[in-house]
Amino acid sequence: MAVDALARSFECIGDDYDRYRPGFPDRAAAIVIPGRVEAVLDLGAGTGKFTELLPVRATRVVAVEPSDRMLAVLRSKLPRVEAHIGTAEEIPAADATIDVVTVAQAFHWFDRESACAEIARVLVPGGTLGLLWNHSDPGCEWDRACHRIAHPAVGESDATTDTADEELPGFEFVRREEVRWTETVSREHYLRRWGTVSSFLVADDVERARMIAAVEQVLDDAPATRGRTEFDVPQVTDVFVYRLAAPV
């Protein structure tokens, strides 16, 4: 399955993504923005799962997202956020007007070179870029088993964060930190969450039903979830922080 087709699969969902996908811990936002700033731009904002942590940290919050349906959900729940249709490769913001750019659960979909150049363009001198990803806790065997059903090519490690490393063009690496947290969800909520994952969205009805049945079997077999209508899901949020490099 082509990467662009997987990325476009999110254009057909909005409410379900917002309802069933995990949010982000406040600690993750504090790592990227330790003190209040004037302007922050959340790029690839989706339905605002991370954006909702930003108004208390910035005077002006801008959200940029290519999907109309996703952005409609964000606008409905965050009416004071400036929300714009746009992409990482063509950000609808003026030069040097943003103190912090955040990208949560989206940087791996971007054209890295073009996106970094655009992010650098809109940031003020010395501005901050924060990249964040939620992923399953490696110590939670049943959740990892469910991830392998959805992403069999990923293996034991989540490769989406490979797009973040210590050498992003135009940026200086500052720090990386893991934030561990736990959410309590119902079995139905957990199953519906998988329906918002790209590999499920692009699958045909037969393949989608097979994957859901396989996830249900994992839940039926694992001691932590067997016979339970509600259970705890451990999460890990990877946070990468960069500073805009000074012009050479």
Side-chain angles (χ1 to χ4, degrees), residues 2-23:
V3 171
D4 59 343
L6 290 172
R8 288 197 305 271
S9 67
F10 295 112
E11 295 176 3
C12 67
I13 59 173
D15 290 331
D16 283 354
Y17 189 100
D18 192 61
R19 184 176 299 115
Y20 300 119
R21 282 296 186 98

Side-chain angles (χ1 to χ4, degrees), residues 65-141:
E65 163 59 37
S67 167
D68 281 310
R69 190 171 297 186
M70 290 256 192
L71 206 61
V73 176
L74 185 150
R75 284 174 172 146
S76 69
K77 71 177 188 179
L78 300 171
R80 295 186 180 180
V81 169
E82 299 176 30
H84 304 285
I85 290 289
T87 67
E89 296 76 25
E90 293 186 30
I91 301 173
D95 295 359
T97 54
I98 303 296
D99 298 288
V100 181
V101 170
T102 59
V103 185
Q105 217 74 20
F107 190 74
H108 55 288
W109 298 119
F110 299 168
D111 180 299
R112 179 170 139 143
E113 297 292 324
S114 297
C116 284
E118 271 291 88
I119 293 167
R121 178 185 66 78
V122 303
L123 280 173
V124 300
T128 299
L129 168 62
L131 307 181
L132 307 96
W133 283 272
N134 284 331
H135 62 83
S136 60
D137 188 322
C140 184
E141 294 182 6

Side-chain angles (χ1 to χ4, degrees), residues 151-182:
H151 307 293
V154 170
E156 290 302 316
S157 61
D158 188 338
T160 55
T161 59
D162 288 353
T163 52
D165 58 38
E166 295 188 9
E167 295 188 9
L168 283 187
F171 290 86
E172 299 172 353
F173 179 73
V174 176
R175 66 188 291 201
R176 175 185 182 180
E177 188 168 329
E178 278 189 348
V179 181
R180 293 179 177 271
W181 55 289
T182 300

